Amino acid sequence: MSETTRPSTLASAEQLFAPIKRRYQKLTLPVSGLQVRIQSLNERELSTYQAMTLAKTGSFKLSKLEDANRRLIVLCLVDDAGNRILNGSHVAKLEEWDSADTAYLSGECSTHVGLRADEIEGLVKNSSKTSVAD
């Protein structure tokens, strides 16, 4: 954004810390044809999700890297009222979904919450250079 298109006043602390307004998006899964709704995450939720891939020693948990896409789907899928429709027990059940649907949905969730594909790829690449906790 150029200087000429920016607002003339800077945001105040009060504006910066106003309650979060979730963003939502409806998607149609490419294989099953099911329509789903995803939500944005706040910083705490995203940080907790990212931290779950690390062991206390700072090394990567291989099992958590392997199910990272499914865990993100669980965090993002909501109903029309914005309530999560899945929980942690559904992570393993998502293994049985068509991989094209999970790949599409996790990609859309990543984009919607502000994760870049290169960040996730970096985690996976770094896990091969770092000791693995599992």
Side-chain angles (χ1 to χ4, degrees):
M1 187 182 261
S2 70
E3 284 291 326
T4 59
T5 59
R6 289 186 180 165
S8 60
T9 58
L10 297 175
S12 67
E14 184 177 288
Q15 291 170 315
L16 291 172
F17 297 112
I20 183 175
K21 292 185 181 181
R22 297 273 188 185
R23 294 174 291 104
Y24 299 95
Q25 182 179 354
K26 284 188 179 178
L27 305 167
T28 302
L29 301 179
V31 175
S32 68
L34 295 171
Q35 190 173 60
V36 295
R37 186 176 190 224
I38 60 173
Q39 71 174 354
S40 59
L41 301 178
N42 63 35
E43 176 58 28
R44 179 188 41 78
E45 292 165 328
L46 182 59
S47 295
T48 300
Y49 162 76
Q50 291 171 319
M52 286 183 68
T53 60
L54 293 175
K56 291 179 184 177
T57 61
S59 60
F60 289 92
K61 293 180 184 179
L62 183 58
S63 63
K64 295 300 184 183
L65 280 173
E66 290 171 343
D67 70 8
N69 289 342
R70 296 185 301 273
R71 286 186 296 110
L72 183 59
I73 289 169
V74 167
L75 288 173
C76 291
L77 278 180
V78 294
D79 62 16
D80 281 332
N83 301 309
R84 287 195 178 120
I85 61 173
L86 303 177
N87 60 47
S89 69
H90 293 106
V91 173
K93 290 181 180 184
L94 289 171
E95 290 177 354
E96 302 306 317
W97 275 26
D98 187 286
S99 62
D101 279 348
T102 56
Y104 170 77
L105 187 53
S106 66
E108 292 295 319
C109 289
S110 293
T111 300
H112 194 69
V113 304
L115 279 175
R116 296 186 329 262
D118 60 329
E119 290 176 320
I120 296 169
E121 289 169 8
L123 279 177
V124 174
K125 286 179 186 175
N126 288 336
S127 69
S128 62
K129 296 176 187 172
T130 309
S131 60
V132 177
D134 292 333

